[in-house]
């Protein structure tokens, strides 16, 4: 992040533009205060250069993706499965930024919509059959490796919450319901 921060003020226009977009992609959905502050300063610094300002605004939108409830990640299912369309969406934007003047900064700014294929929620919400919110108590916490442990150890360092619940990277959730319904899985993963 420090290197990208230095590159945002580079003399080469394309290097600085790519560094600004890379900051947004790096911190997408994190609400990282350091990156947000850096991007606000860049917006003031590049206020008279429309292309830099456009990329700064796009990066600010990526940092605050869904007010922090969404993230940019092509992996899902406990990082075991790769979404090929999500990875392709990220790669399309990265490859088009190599010739940014002819793609994103000209008439093909719609290429940024390819990032949508890699957006994943960072929240867990349960709904009933009529799509009304269903309050369910869950245990949410960091996953614990239980391989080669005797007995039936707990798999979560947990806290009890009622859904909807915002979760961080690597956290898992387990329902406290005794019955398993077809609409709610016993073990939940939030990416």
């Amino acid at each position: 992040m420090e290197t990208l921060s230095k590159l945002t003020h580079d003399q080469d226009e394309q290097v600085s533009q790519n560094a600004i977009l890379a900051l947004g992609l790096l911190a997408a959905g994190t609400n990282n205060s350091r990156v947000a502050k850096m991007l606000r300063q860049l917006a003031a610094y590049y206020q008279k250069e429309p292309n830099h300002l456009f990329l700064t605004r796009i990066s600010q939108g990526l940092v605050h993706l869904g007010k922090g409830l969404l993230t940019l990640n092509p992996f899902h299912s406990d990082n075991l499965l790769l979404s090929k369309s999500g990875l392709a969406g990220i790669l399309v934007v990265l490859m088009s930024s190599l010739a940014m003047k002819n793609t994103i900064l000209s008439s093909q700014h719609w290429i940024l919509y390819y990032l949508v294929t890699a957006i994943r929620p960072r929240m867990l919400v349960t709904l009933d059959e009529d799509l009304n919110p269903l309050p369910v108590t869950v245990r949410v916490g960091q996953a614990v490796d239980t391989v080669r442990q005797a007995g039936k150890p707990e798999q979560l360092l947990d806290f009890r919450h009622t859904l909807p619940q915002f979760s961080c990277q690597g956290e898992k959730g387990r329902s406290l319901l005794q019955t398993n319904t077809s609409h709610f899985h016993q073990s939940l993963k939030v990416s």
Side-chain angles (χ1 to χ4, degrees), residues 126 138 173-175 177 179-188:
T126 53
V138 293
R174 182 171 297 280
S175 169
L177 294 174
T179 60
N180 190 6
T181 65
S182 61
H183 300 287
F184 189 80
H185 299 287
Q186 197 66 22
S187 180
L188 307 166

Side-chain angles (χ1 to χ4, degrees), residues 58-85:
I58 293 295
S59 293
Q60 285 176 324
L62 287 172
V63 170
H64 302 294
L65 193 64
K67 296 184 180 181
L69 295 177
L70 300 172
T71 188
L72 205 58
N73 189 0
F75 289 99
H76 57 90
S77 298
D78 211 7
N79 286 339
L80 295 174
L81 300 176
L82 173 69
S83 168
K84 293 177 185 176
S85 61

Side-chain angles (χ1 to χ4, degrees), residues 69-133:
L69 295 177
L70 300 172
T71 188
L72 205 58
N73 189 0
F75 289 99
H76 57 90
S77 298
D78 211 7
N79 286 339
L80 295 174
L81 300 176
L82 173 69
S83 168
K84 293 177 185 176
S85 61
L87 181 63
I90 293 173
L91 287 176
V92 164
V93 172
L94 290 177
M95 295 304 284
S96 67
S97 68
L98 294 175
M100 196 173 300
K101 224 174 222 173
N102 300 326
T103 55
I104 295 174
L105 295 178
S106 68
S107 62
Q108 298 175 346
H109 53 271
W110 50 265
I111 289 176
L112 293 170
Y113 285 121
Y114 280 104
L115 290 176
V116 171
T117 59
I119 293 177
R120 300 277 178 261
R122 293 179 63 198
M123 64 205 156
L124 184 60
V125 178
T126 53
L127 305 170
D128 63 6
E129 294 83 15
D130 300 322
L131 298 180
N132 296 320

Side-chain angles (χ1 to χ4, degrees), residues 1 3-10 15-24 34-57 59-60 63:
M1 189 167 65
T3 305
L4 287 175
S5 173
K6 291 175 186 172
L7 290 175
T8 57
H9 295 288
D10 196 85
V15 171
S16 61
Q17 290 170 350
N18 282 329
I20 292 170
L21 184 61
L23 273 174
R34 284 183 61 204
V35 176
K37 181 181 175 187
M38 204 180 309
L39 290 171
R40 279 192 303 272
Q41 291 170 348
L42 286 171
Y45 183 78
Y46 288 120
Q47 65 185 357
K48 299 203 188 247
E49 297 183 38
N51 288 338
H52 283 84
L53 188 59
F54 172 73
L55 290 170
T56 304
R57 298 296 185 209
S59 293
Q60 285 176 324
V63 170

